[in-house]
Amino acid sequence: MYGKQHVFWLIYGTEVDLPAILAKLVGLGYEVAKSGYREGVAYFDPLPGGYAAVRRYEEGDVYILANLQRGAVGVVTEDFLLLKRGLADLSRALIELKMGEPPRAELHISFGIHGRLREGGEVKVGDTEFRKSGVYLTAGTPFNGDGVFVSISPLGVERLLFYLIVSGSWAFVRSRLNNIYDIISQLLKELVT
């Protein structure tokens, strides 16, 4: 695997008290963006790279994202264990602020792999022949309920892009977090040569 990225969004769907969250993260060792309120609406001036906060660990960096239009905060890292550490930091800040669990959460994992998709077949429409060149899988209803979406797309010869989304309630997404790499490993075993 190469080029791994892990993103975990906590989506409240309403205004998030970002200035208070960032103030809590400062106490946990994060460098944070300037934030506050203008006319009663939260704002932040992002750090370089567009992040709301960053903490540098020996193993790598944890970045905190903010999307004020979605009422969401998130964690992004290149390492799965750092994702869990950043999520623990963010959860601690939210607990200290007495913010409840978000109504919705999303886990996004993407990475490149060397290999080929197992042969899938062709489809002919009129006089045009199409060859399957990717796989999409879903479990549950990932875009409006609890579920999982997986996409594996060719990037060139012997190179594939793997993209997974687990979305739904906070409890559903958290329950999938600890064994997500077992699921990914099994999917790759079944679909990639």
Side-chain angles (χ1 to χ4, degrees):
M1 288 185 215
Y2 61 90
K4 283 192 290 185
Q5 183 180 53
H6 304 81
V7 182
F8 196 110
W9 281 105
L10 295 85
I11 304 166
Y12 287 90
T14 59
E15 188 171 317
V16 171
D17 192 351
L18 185 63
I21 293 169
L22 294 180
K24 291 290 184 186
L25 291 173
V26 166
L28 297 175
Y30 282 79
E31 174 189 351
V32 301
K34 181 181 175 188
S35 66
Y37 288 93
R38 288 188 189 126
E39 299 176 9
V41 178
Y43 78 92
F44 76 105
D45 295 327
L47 297 171
Y51 303 107
V54 61
R55 182 170 179 186
R56 303 191 191 297
Y57 287 98
E58 198 171 294
E59 302 85 3
D61 299 337
V62 172
Y63 298 95
I64 302 297
L65 305 170
N67 184 325
L68 297 176
Q69 287 76 27
R70 291 180 80 192
V73 290
V75 178
V76 62
T77 69
E78 293 179 4
D79 180 82
F80 186 65
L81 295 177
L82 282 175
L83 176 77
K84 291 171 80 173
R85 188 180 285 182
L87 187 57
D89 290 342
L90 184 56
S91 294
R92 179 176 171 187
L94 296 172
I95 289 167
E96 289 178 8
L97 291 168
K98 296 183 175 31
M99 290 184 69
E101 293 178 356
R104 189 157 183 83
E106 294 176 355
L107 170 63
H108 299 249
I109 298 176
S110 62
F111 54 86
I113 52 175
H114 296 286
R116 292 179 185 248
L117 282 172
R118 295 194 189 279
E119 293 300 319
E122 298 174 351
V123 176
K124 190 167 183 174
V125 178
D127 62 351
T128 305
E129 199 169 288
F130 295 90
R131 186 175 55 88
K132 187 169 88 173
S133 62
V135 172
Y136 294 95
L137 304 168
T138 59
T141 53
F143 300 110
N144 59 5
D146 292 342
V148 181
F149 171 84
V150 175
S151 167
I152 304 174
S153 305
L155 293 177
V157 178
E158 301 273 332
R159 290 178 41 214
L160 301 167
L161 174 65
F162 184 97
Y163 186 64
L164 172 138
I165 304 170
V166 180
S167 63
S169 69
W170 169 254
F172 176 81
V173 178
R174 281 294 292 241
S175 72
R176 300 308 186 275
L177 186 62
N178 289 327
N179 71 340
I180 198 64
Y181 270 94
D182 294 337
I183 294 168
I184 290 171
S185 177
Q186 188 63 37
L187 286 171
L188 293 178
K189 184 178 175 184
E190 295 289 328
L191 298 171
V192 176
T193 60

